[in-house]
Amino acid sequence: MKKVTQTIGIDVSKVTLDVTIRTTNVHKLFSNDTKGFKQIISWLTKQKINLEETLICFEHTGWYCLLLSYFLYENNHRYCCINAIEIKRSMGLKRGKSDKADAWEIANYAWLRRDELVPSTPPAKKLIELQRMMSLREQLVKQQTASKNLLKGMLSIVLEDVNDVSILILKENINHLEKQILTTEKAMNELIKQDETMIDNYKLSKTVKGVGMVLAVQMLLHTHNYTRFESSRQFAAYCGLVPYPYQSGTSIKGRNKIHPISDRKMKSLLSMSAISAIQHDKELKLYYQKRVEEGKPKMVVLNIIRNKIVSRVFATVNRGTPYVEMNKFLA
C-alpha cells in the first residue's frame, strides 16, 4: 500500500459515525449521511491531516456503511472495510465497550496492519440494486411459505372451506405474494440484462447442472460479478466448504474439519444445488453412489460435490463458454 502516516477509525451505526484520529486520539461524532461525510473530510483537514497519506478504516455493517464507502471511493480517499469479527478478535481481552473506544481500536487495527491492508472497492451499484431485489424476494417467499403452512393447518380442521373467511383471505394472500415474487424476478432479470458482463456470467453459470436462478444470482452478488475472489477455492473457503487440518503436538490429531465461520446462506444454497445435481447429472450421480458404496460418509461426498459445482461455475465463467457434461463426450 502507498505510504500511510495516519489512520482514522470510524465506528458505523445506523444514524451516527464515531470518528477517531489514532495519533492524537481526538474523537468527534457525525451523522451517517452525505452531509456528515463531507463534515468528516472538512474536520480532518482542519486537524491538519494529510488525506493523501491517510487510511480510513471501519467495520463492514451491511447497508449502514454502504453510502460511506461510495463517498470515500468516489472522492479518492483510501479506505478499508473490514470484517467485524477480524477487528474484534484483534482487540484482545476487553471488559467494556463504547462507540468511542471502538473507533480508536479500529484506527489502531489499521495502523498495525497498514502495510498489509489493501484499499477496499465498493461493489457496482447495479449489484447493490440486485441485492436489494433479492432480499425483497427472500422476504416474499418466507411470507408465502408461512401463509401456505397456516392454510394447510386450517384446512385440516375446516369441514367446508368454500365460504370460510380465513381460508379465502389466506388464498388471496398467497396468490398476491406469488404475483409479487414473479414481478420481482422479472425486474431482477431486466436489471441483469443491463450489464453485458453480468448477463453473460449469469447465463454461463446456469449451464452447470444444479445451478438455478437463485444460486446464479447469489453467486453474482457474493463474488461481485466474479471479481472478488481469485480462485474457486477461495470462494469455496468463504462458503465453508474447505476442510482444514486439526492437530496439535503428538496427542491431538483430529480429522480435517470445515471452519464454522462461513457464509451460511451460500453454503445452504450449494447444498440444495448438490442434491439437485446428484439427481440430474449422470456423472455426479455415479460419483456419489460409488463413493458412498466405498464407505465414505454421505455428507462428506455431498461436500465434495458442492466443491465440484463451485469449481465448474468458476471454470465456465473464466472460460467464457457454456459448461458441457463429460458424458456427452462419452456418448
Side-chain angles (χ1 to χ4, degrees), residues 209-222:
K209 284 288 181 69
V211 179
M213 184 274 291
V214 175
L215 180 57
V217 171
Q218 289 289 7
M219 288 194 73
L220 279 176
L221 295 173
H222 286 80

Side-chain angles (χ1 to χ4, degrees), residues 20 40 66 73 87 91 101 103 108 113 119 130 138 140 163 166 185 195 203 221 226 246 252 319:
T20 296
I40 290 174
L66 195 60
Y73 180 75
I87 295 178
M91 293 181 183
N108 191 52
R113 291 162 179 78
L130 183 63
E138 289 175 358
L140 293 173
N163 297 318
S166 299
E185 290 177 352
D195 189 296
K203 288 180 177 179
L221 295 173
Y226 298 91
Y246 183 78
I252 300 177
R319 190 172 58 245

Side-chain angles (χ1 to χ4, degrees), residues 1-5 7 55 78 80 108-119:
M1 182 181 286
K2 187 180 176 182
K3 182 181 179 183
V4 175
T5 59
T7 56
L55 177 64
R78 286 183 296 172
C80 283
N108 191 52
Y109 168 90
W111 176 256
L112 295 174
R113 291 162 179 78
R114 62 191 182 280
D115 294 328
E116 58 191 66
L117 289 176
V118 178

Side-chain angles (χ1 to χ4, degrees), residues 67-313:
L67 292 178
L68 175 61
S69 299
Y70 279 117
F71 175 84
L72 295 173
Y73 180 75
E74 291 170 356
N75 289 278
N76 299 316
H77 298 302
R78 286 183 296 172
Y79 78 94
C80 283
C81 186
I82 308 296
N83 189 302
I85 295 178
E86 185 175 342
I87 295 178
K88 183 178 181 180
R89 291 190 173 181
S90 72
M91 293 181 183
L93 180 62
K94 296 290 178 182
R95 289 186 170 84
K97 185 188 182 307
S98 69
D99 292 341
K100 180 180 178 181
D102 288 348
W104 189 89
E105 291 288 356
I106 293 169
N108 191 52
Y109 168 90
W111 176 256
L112 295 174
R113 291 162 179 78
R114 62 191 182 280
D115 294 328
E116 58 191 66
L117 289 176
V118 178
S120 301
T121 302
K125 291 185 177 181
K126 280 188 174 62
L127 283 174
I128 296 300
E129 183 64 21
L130 183 63
Q131 187 175 4
R132 287 176 58 241
M133 291 182 182
M134 196 62 183
S135 298
L136 173 61
R137 182 190 177 279
E138 289 175 358
Q139 291 301 316
L140 293 173
V141 170
K142 287 180 181 178
Q143 292 175 28
Q144 187 186 49
T145 303
S147 296
K148 286 181 178 179
N149 291 337
L150 181 58
L151 176 63
K152 185 178 179 180
M154 285 191 173
L155 287 172
S156 65
I157 60 173
V158 175
L159 298 176
E160 184 63 47
D161 65 326
V162 177
N163 297 318
D164 189 274
V165 176
S166 299
I167 300 297
L168 290 174
I169 291 174
L170 279 173
K171 286 182 176 180
E172 289 178 3
N173 185 45
I174 291 170
N175 291 331
H176 180 63
L177 288 170
E178 181 64 30
K179 291 178 182 178
Q180 288 184 322
I181 291 170
L182 292 173
T183 301
T184 305
E185 290 177 352
K186 183 179 179 181
M188 288 166 59
N189 286 326
E190 292 298 322
L191 180 63
I192 293 172
K193 289 178 182 178
Q194 295 176 15
D195 189 296
E196 186 176 347
T197 306
M198 198 186 297
I199 186 62
D200 288 344
N201 292 340
Y202 174 73
K203 288 180 177 179
L204 287 169
S205 64
K206 287 184 69 178
T207 62
V208 177
K209 284 288 181 69
V211 179
M213 184 274 291
V214 175
L215 180 57
V217 171
Q218 289 289 7
M219 288 194 73
L220 279 176
L221 295 173
H222 286 80
T223 62
H224 293 181
N225 198 13
Y226 298 91
T227 60
R228 185 181 177 189
F229 300 93
E230 295 181 1
S231 66
S232 60
R233 184 170 177 81
Q234 280 189 358
F235 181 68
Y238 165 81
C239 297
L241 309 182
V242 178
Y244 293 94
Y246 183 78
Q247 68 87 26
S248 179
T250 57
S251 59
I252 300 177
K253 292 184 179 179
R255 61 182 178 84
N256 291 355
K257 295 181 179 180
I258 292 173
H259 201 280
I261 298 179
S262 62
D263 191 304
R264 295 184 180 180
K265 180 186 293 183
M266 283 304 306
K267 190 175 182 179
S268 175
L269 286 172
L270 285 166
S271 295
M272 292 186 287
S273 173
I275 294 170
S276 175
I278 291 169
Q279 296 173 346
H280 299 95
D281 189 308
K282 293 181 180 179
E283 180 190 352
L284 292 179
K285 185 176 182 179
L286 289 172
Y287 176 84
Y288 178 81
Q289 291 174 345
K290 180 181 178 181
R291 296 306 295 270
V292 171
E293 288 172 359
E294 291 173 352
K296 203 78 170 175
K298 290 183 178 180
M299 285 306 299
V300 173
V301 183
L302 189 69
N303 188 60
I304 295 172
I305 293 175
R306 289 188 298 197
N307 277 283
K308 283 181 177 290
I309 291 172
V310 170
S311 63
R312 285 179 178 183
V313 171

